[in-house]
Structures are given as C-alpha cells and as structure tokens.
Amino acid sequence: MVKAKGKKPVQPKGEKARRGMKIVTSDVCEVCKTPCPAGMEYAARMRIPGTVGKGIPCILTK
C-alpha cells in the first residue's frame, strides 16, 4: 500500500525567498563582528525615534 502524503507546512509569504537565513533585529546587527552594508543601513534606520522594524535577513546565517 502507498501512504498518503501529508500537507507541507505553510511558510510566511516573504520566507520562501529567504529560506535558510535568520531574521535578526538591529541590536544583533549593532554587535556583529562582521558587519554587512545591509545590516548597518538597517541599524541606522532603527536609530530614528518611532521607527518600527520587523528585522532583516542575515546573510551570514545561510
């Protein structure tokens, strides 16, 4: 007999393109030993009062 395949887990919409990378917040980017341009730009934007951020995919955690 053939087993029925289960459904695949549903991923958030933006997660497909960023599979394998961790989403990090600006405080993690601030203390990173090898800063990247995208992380430093994100950290600079988050320093502005009232800014809301959800994080940025870290290219160092592929």
Side-chain angles (χ1 to χ4, degrees):
M1 286 183 80
V2 177
K3 286 188 174 182
K5 293 183 178 180
K7 289 186 177 181
K8 293 182 180 179
V10 178
Q11 293 181 343
K13 189 174 182 179
E15 194 65 29
K16 287 184 180 181
R18 299 175 185 148
R19 186 181 309 161
M21 292 188 207
K22 291 182 182 178
I23 303 295
V24 296
T25 55
S26 60
D27 59 336
V28 175
C29 288
E30 294 282 346
V31 297
C32 184
K33 292 180 182 178
T34 55
C36 63
M40 291 296 100
E41 180 182 322
Y42 177 71
R45 281 186 307 198
M46 291 299 112
R47 285 189 207 113
I48 300 170
T51 306
V52 178
K54 296 181 181 179
I56 186 170
C58 180
I59 62 170
L60 302 174
T61 58
K62 285 185 180 178

